Amino acid sequence: MLHIKGGTIVTAERSFRSDILCDDSGRIARIAPQIETPTGCEVVDAGGLLVMPGGIDPHTHMEMPFMGSVASDDFYTGTAAGLAGGTTSIIDFVIPESGGSLLDAWKAWRQKAEKAAADYAFHVAVTHWDDQVHADMGTLVNECGVSSFKHFMAYKNALMVDDGVLLHSIRRAGKLGALCTVHAENGDAVAYMQAKLLAEGRTGPDAHPLSRPPTVEGEAAQRVIALAGLLDAPVYIVHVSTEEAANAIAAARMRGQRVYGEVLPQHLVFDESVYSNPDWLTAARYVMSPPFRPRHHQHALWAGLMSGQLQTTATDHCCFCAGQKENGRTNFTHIPNGTPGIEDRMSILWHHGVATGRLTAEEFVAITSSNTARIFNMFPRKGCIAEGADADLVLWDAQGSRTISTSTDHQNVDYNIYEGMTVTGVARRTISAGRLVWDDGDLRVTRGAGRYIPRAPLGRKLAV
Amino acid sequence: MLHIKGGTIVTAERSFRSDILCDDSGRIARIAPQIETPTGCEVVDAGGLLVMPGGIDPHTHMEMPFMGSVASDDFYTGTAAGLAGGTTSIIDFVIPESGGSLLDAWKAWRQKAEKAAADYAFHVAVTHWDDQVHADMGTLVNECGVSSFKHFMAYKNALMVDDGVLLHSIRRAGKLGALCTVHAENGDAVAYMQAKLLAEGRTGPDAHPLSRPPTVEGEAAQRVIALAGLLDAPVYIVHVSTEEAANAIAAARMRGQRVYGEVLPQHLVFDESVYSNPDWLTAARYVMSPPFRPRHHQHALWAGLMSGQLQTTATDHCCFCAGQKENGRTNFTHIPNGTPGIEDRMSILWHHGVATGRLTAEEFVAITSSNTARIFNMFPRKGCIAEGADADLVLWDAQGSRTISTSTDHQNVDYNIYEGMTVTGVARRTISAGRLVWDDGDLRVTRGAGRYIPRAPLGRKLAV
Amino acid sequence: MLHIKGGTIVTAERSFRSDILCDDSGRIARIAPQIETPTGCEVVDAGGLLVMPGGIDPHTHMEMPFMGSVASDDFYTGTAAGLAGGTTSIIDFVIPESGGSLLDAWKAWRQKAEKAAADYAFHVAVTHWDDQVHADMGTLVNECGVSSFKHFMAYKNALMVDDGVLLHSIRRAGKLGALCTVHAENGDAVAYMQAKLLAEGRTGPDAHPLSRPPTVEGEAAQRVIALAGLLDAPVYIVHVSTEEAANAIAAARMRGQRVYGEVLPQHLVFDESVYSNPDWLTAARYVMSPPFRPRHHQHALWAGLMSGQLQTTATDHCCFCAGQKENGRTNFTHIPNGTPGIEDRMSILWHHGVATGRLTAEEFVAITSSNTARIFNMFPRKGCIAEGADADLVLWDAQGSRTISTSTDHQNVDYNIYEGMTVTGVARRTISAGRLVWDDGDLRVTRGAGRYIPRAPLGRKLAV
Amino acid sequence: MLHIKGGTIVTAERSFRSDILCDDSGRIARIAPQIETPTGCEVVDAGGLLVMPGGIDPHTHMEMPFMGSVASDDFYTGTAAGLAGGTTSIIDFVIPESGGSLLDAWKAWRQKAEKAAADYAFHVAVTHWDDQVHADMGTLVNECGVSSFKHFMAYKNALMVDDGVLLHSIRRAGKLGALCTVHAENGDAVAYMQAKLLAEGRTGPDAHPLSRPPTVEGEAAQRVIALAGLLDAPVYIVHVSTEEAANAIAAARMRGQRVYGEVLPQHLVFDESVYSNPDWLTAARYVMSPPFRPRHHQHALWAGLMSGQLQTTATDHCCFCAGQKENGRTNFTHIPNGTPGIEDRMSILWHHGVATGRLTAEEFVAITSSNTARIFNMFPRKGCIAEGADADLVLWDAQGSRTISTSTDHQNVDYNIYEGMTVTGVARRTISAGRLVWDDGDLRVTRGAGRYIPRAPLGRKLAV
Ligand SMILES: [Zn+2]
Ligand SMILES: [Zn+2]
Ligand SMILES: [Zn+2]
Ligand SMILES: [Zn+2]
Ligand SMILES: [Zn+2]
Ligand SMILES: [Zn+2]
Ligand SMILES: [Zn+2]
Ligand SMILES: [Zn+2]
């Protein structure tokens, strides 16, 4: 049992002074202004702190095999780092082998994830279409607690699907009450631009953003929205990084379509100039897709979050160390795409979002946790502070500050993209399933403590 | 004390089975799955019903003097009718005489409202600008619990203000932390079109929509958004009725502006054909501004509510009986503008919004109550089901249906614009300040039971 | 020699009273207010008539093999019908066999076209990509007078190309100074919708518009504009039929892209209700792609032509007789797609465009002839009334009227989609290469009189 | 008589080698590839030069009384400077005194203009509304050759009109077949911002752009387009300087409205940084309204010209010398608004427009001359190279270059905003009414040689 005492609860709805009592089953047992500490109950001092739902990161790639490497943060180290930053749940991606079984892949990922320190769920990628995929989607939704699928419009000759596969999958998912998520970049265009740039001798990381300009994302977002619209089905676009895609989402919503968009904090704070760093490795470490953009796109992403037209934030956490990034030393298209960040998402968003006045604390909770829980049907178990909900909480020091560094963070990768950035807004304590797992610098995680969170189908159009 | 037993609580956040205990001070004392009924406590059976925050109607005109008449529903009859329909609070408009004191007008309205059966608050209209207005705004915000002001861009030579007044008032309000609301129609254009139509011999109600076409509203919305944007201040547009205005709001929000829009249910269900009714009085009864529109505008309004780009619903409840409407028998510009509707807003929105699958029950709560409470700073006292909140609740029968008629409604006016419409979704019981005031057909309101609800300034940019 | 006497010349620039003298080489020799008729010179009375550049139809499919049939109008009958309606040049499409040689196809089409009665040029379709296509494009541009290529984003498993092919071809064309034209519909989506509709038992022509809704065109237009934008190359979209596509073109132009759009008169006057005709054959005769649309799209097409954001008009003339349409009696996807119309384009556009006040006579010339000549680099030989230009002229009776009927038209097909329509604006006389070939009902065409018009590359961004 | 020999004629339509013979009445008598020089006829060598229609500047303010000063270039010096730069006609503005007679003002301006060296016409400003204005508009159109009127939405308490006046005037003009032109800035907002800035101690030229931000123009453009749309009348917006206004125009045109936009070269090449010049006078010299903008607006203006959504270019030529600019030394709102530029418009547009590849030479003619002549109904007398047209021509050296300087220009003002800029594209010779008035540095103008050009009403919707 845990008695969180003296804090100010902040939900997506409101803020109020209250204590919280967590029971031994890992749930919130009681919320009341003044709770008498039960005998034998541990007391966590929340004085001066905000008590918020733990962050949910709906886009991570722990130990993912990708581009000839395997992401260096595994389910244990990655979720542990998340807990240190106030993130108490992740939704990771099951990526079947080319032509392979979705179900087998899901089983394999379930196994890999058993070491997780925090709760987790899965999206499953659909990378081709046949009757088996159709059947597996049914099994995953009805028997395995999977209620969202992932599609790549990029990565030609690898994960990419064409519009026909998208249509089949969106319709199948719609019938199952599941949600389709999409990496929206035009893979044909990326492949074309990559070949063109390489042919021109552009082999360095500075060619990376040129190979996937904003139009490439805007076009794909527009397209998948059109396809989903044909089937009157909802769609969720991961890592929206451009004004074009943000506007396409907003326009679709104003036509009555249920479209959702996710933003990564790194797109809010970095711009494409990072790829011009004269140090190859430094530049290569920023290589992810979609790439960082000219600065004016950031304004559109913030406005999207402020207006509710973009609903969630995630990290696309995908770690590759120097040796892995080196694979692309002579050819930028071989640099493993990915950046770390699960530990710092909450701080970056608070610092740049709340401390600057763009967002309220309630909106911060919405975009880091509650909206995600709703859209992916983990609400009110997750993303909510209510009696009966999972006791996944972060005790937030709104005035505290810290300087981000790979030397002090817990991610299993040899750099931090935010290195040296001092941010206001710090996760002082994190409670996962009712247990204090992060106590102001002291990380007390347990390998395997994380639980698989099955998610039921939504069975209807989503609403956020 | 009141024990609401066996219902399903629905908030803007979530739905869950729970009992509610209301105390004698009119507040929610306890929320828990199973509550033991205290001795002597009245029990209200909520079995099979949804327990939702009572509706808040942020746009009513009780006993308003307007166009040579006085609206026939007064604060007592109007709020009573609201309670019969599940609406437990209103925000009415204080309209100072031309050049008159805002403060005196507020006092006069306070007095008129003492007879109210349900809680109420006030927006105060700014209809001219001088130092006294500047000073009165300060007094109203700091001492009188007024945190929103109203402006008319239409009604030339009466209530209309020019852009200079708008700028002064928006800035003053911004400094005070108050919110400006605006009736957005270009009054010069309306006056011009009215004169032109009359000169052409168009004197009947069918000329009304021609005198204020969609463009007239879209232009004004665009303009006030531009003005507010210059001052980096929020703005709230009442009775958005056109695609043009809805899109202007959405576009501004996607530029990062804090703009809000209100929708009236009548605009969602009627179109301009009502003005062509061969019976003069029938047509005249639909005369309100902005008028009903070509049908495609409705799609934009629904999409705005679905996507969160339009946040609230209201009625602009303003009742004129046959004798009053007759004032305009030979000249449509003399027909008192206004339609009743406070009693039916909730049913109309449930029937056309939730029962059709456009909105979830949680979204219904958001647009009928919670969003309004947030935007006008009555949250979490109103618009929220939580311990400590006002016990303003509606027990909703989602499957029940009723046929709307002036013969059975409680509005003090001789017609009902929804006459004969059968709707699914019925307010079975209404609880106001902890008292059961509507019990399935039995209206037990008390003259003067309503309280004035002072509203503090928001002191920052608003967030919804 | 021919002396056109007493007419009012109308060009895209201006109108003025003037005579014209055509020489024996088929060119305009002299333009002057009053010309003395040379001895032995035939005089054509243009009194009361407008003398305009002959129409150019940049989109015809004479004797095209398609969907198991061959279009019934061949190069002779089709061009003859055009002359009867005031159209003096066509640009037809060379469609190589799947995987086949562009050059061989061009040669085959050259041969088929030798029987033409009026001048003609060719676009050549690119339906796949390899080194031979790359090479052939060069040959066609540099040696064969082809300066535009065609691409189908629809017709999956037949003519459709993917985005990679589009990018390769657009870039290659750009380097050659040639223009890419595109049939913009998402072929994956069409194939998906067709299969879905057939599976639902929807086999009739009324399923045709459902299988390719407006979104399917809007998406493809948006996409090809994005791709062309990546390469900073111009692009021309054939048969724009939707508000979505028209707006995409206008938006791109307002970003500085050189994008052009073509409108078919049938999309301006018919709507999707034609497919609900209870008579199967009648409905089937309207089957073409993109299909006729809900009526509001027409407003966008007209506005596009009025504002210059859509530049040209064409017919997509492609004739299939009853027996051919019957191929799809039990399956709408087998109905040969195509409608006739080359003979009536000018009249339909005058009647609905000029007579209604939407367009001026000068704009009529621009959209029926001059803009097309400029964009496809036939100007000022074609599309222009100037000394030295080809004497391709139509003598237009702006007040005259006629009733369209297959019983009187000259198209080699057993129906006319405009059957029974009475139009104001009639081609009284047509002059082709200086010869009077249509004289108020008397068609005096010569098989093989038409000449191939080689077109040089533009070598720069186009301007209209 | 004048024989222009060996040049390449460029019109808005096409380019071709041809000689031109001008007769003694000042008109073009003959256009032919090779003309025999008549006896006694002066020969002008156009070898290697482009022969284009002389520029028309539809927006000048010669010797205008404004803000307590009188513009220093009078009709003689100003038109002479124009001729030196290739501009052969102007349309100046008649500005009646407050409440004064339009007709009297027109007469006064006619008198002032008698000294002009080049042809001129007038727009007449409508600055208030009453029956006399209504009557005067009729007289001006029917008897005085005025077919366009001007309206100021800015300059509160001076020239500004409200929306009611705009509606009356637009409708009256529409009935007369005349065109309304509008200075689109929200005058209430400007006055408000000016007062606010001054109150904050912002008295320097750097406050000028802050007092009229882009929104202020975008709003007004949107508004007047809405008003004109209500009346189904065309409208022309002068000096479009923002993306917002350009997009509003394009959007209206895509709805089918006839809206036109004018661009000033200075807005294409300067940005708001000029107002931060530490030298007060230098900064003050750039003070004009609308002010120079953040650089991204230029892209929208160019795209507007390229796509035909903005049709004309002008200078708003309005000269104030140092002593006059000094009036605003302690208060930026007293700096006379205006910049010179009539002499350099053509070169600036060629250099930045044609030499950069944005525009073709034909488009250059369209935007500097032909479109203006059409819109203001001077075509084909002006803006056209055709037999019978006025012999107003510029012989353009497309490869020549010159460095702009007040020390060599002919404008009667003590600075040149383009000082030191080297431009490619030079007016080598200018012919005005058949007379060689500028011969490669030699200015041979005649005081009073300019003629008043009466312009008939258009009598219909305009088309460009
Ligand atoms: Zn991705
Ligand atoms: Zn990812
Ligand atoms: Zn109102
Ligand atoms: Zn109202
Ligand atoms: Zn086609
Ligand atoms: Zn075709
Ligand atoms: Zn101006
Ligand atoms: Zn001016």
Side-chain angles (χ1 to χ4, degrees), chain D residues 55 92 108 167 228 265 417 449:
Chain D
D92 205 274
L167 284 161
I417 48 168

Side-chain angles (χ1 to χ4, degrees), chain C residues 101-103 124-151 165-176 178-180:
Chain C
S101 155
L102 273 60
L103 207 54
V124 176
V126 171
T127 54
H128 69 290
W129 192 256
D130 59 23
D131 289 349
Q132 191 57 46
V133 173
H134 183 274
D136 283 357
M137 287 177 76
T139 308
L140 286 164
V141 170
N142 297 320
E143 301 174 23
C144 304
V146 169
S147 66
S148 52
F149 295 92
K150 172 73 176 286
H151 309 76
V165 176
L166 275 171
L167 284 161
H168 280 291
S169 185
I170 290 171
R171 189 187 187 198
R172 174 68 170 146
K175 299 235 169 195
L176 293 165
L179 177 63
C180 286

Side-chain angles (χ1 to χ4, degrees), chain C residues 181-457:
Chain C
T181 75
V182 181
H183 173 128
E185 287 186 301
N186 184 315
D188 275 336
V190 171
Y192 177 87
M193 296 300 281
Q194 288 179 333
K196 182 166 173 289
L197 286 156
L198 291 175
E200 291 164 10
R202 304 290 304 265
T203 59
D206 59 327
H208 178 64
L210 303 178
S211 72
R212 32 212 334 151
T215 299
V216 158
E217 176 181 322
E219 184 285 311
Q222 195 95 31
R223 179 152 42 105
V224 74
I225 289 170
L227 298 176
L230 283 180
L231 301 176
D232 198 21
V235 68
Y236 175 101
I237 300 181
V238 305
H239 48 47
V240 173
S241 73
T242 58
E243 189 180 44
E244 287 84 346
N247 285 346
I249 290 170
R253 291 173 64 89
M254 277 306 287
R255 292 191 304 265
Q257 258 186 264
R258 295 288 188 182
V259 182
Y260 307 95
E262 168 192 289
V263 179
L264 311 185
Q266 55 267 52
H267 283 123
L268 292 169
V269 299
F270 296 119
D271 67 37
E272 59 177 356
S273 64
V274 296
Y275 300 114
S276 308
N277 195 298
D279 179 59
W280 184 91
L281 182 59
T282 303
R285 280 171 162 164
Y286 287 100
V287 169
M288 65 159 295
S289 297
F292 302 114
R293 304 297 191 182
R295 194 158 288 276
H296 75 274
H297 292 278
Q298 296 175 359
H299 182 73
L301 303 182
W302 280 116
L305 291 171
M306 290 165 70
S307 68
Q309 297 313 281
L310 304 176
Q311 295 77 27
T312 67
T313 57
T315 60
D316 203 359
H317 183 79
C318 193
C319 300
F320 296 106
C321 293
Q324 298 173 297
K325 291 281 184 183
E326 286 292 339
N327 289 354
R329 173 63 78 165
T330 58
N331 178 337
F332 75 92
T333 70
H334 295 166
I335 301 171
N337 279 219
T339 54
I342 193 170
E343 190 162 348
D344 303 308
R345 176 177 63 118
M346 305 282 280
S347 281
I348 293 289
L349 288 167
W350 185 275
H351 181 78
H352 292 279
V354 184
T356 55
R358 287 185 175 110
L359 301 171
T360 62
E362 289 82 3
E363 288 180 317
F364 174 83
V365 172
I367 64 162
T368 56
S369 182
S370 303
N371 287 352
T372 302
R374 282 169 194 293
I375 290 172
F376 291 110
N377 214 15
M378 306 167 86
F379 195 89
R381 178 172 177 183
K382 303 289 189 191
C384 183
I385 298 185
E387 295 174 6
D390 278 359
D392 283 3
L393 301 162
V394 59
L395 276 54
W396 195 256
D397 183 351
Q399 271 72 48
S401 77
R402 67 184 179 95
T403 298
I404 299 173
S405 173
T406 189
S407 64
T408 50
D409 73 24
H410 305 79
Q411 300 171 155
N412 184 36
V413 60
D414 58 3
Y415 72 110
N416 189 308
I417 49 168
Y418 305 111
E419 186 73 35
M421 208 179 269
T422 299
V423 289
T424 295
V426 175
R428 277 288 166 240
R429 293 182 188 85
T430 305
I431 288 144
S432 172
R435 294 175 45 251
L436 183 67
V437 292
W438 168 248
D439 187 8
D440 205 3
D442 181 12
L443 188 58
R444 312 177 184 168
V445 298
T446 308
R447 190 179 177 91
R451 299 162 300 180
Y452 174 65
I453 307 296
R455 299 177 295 118

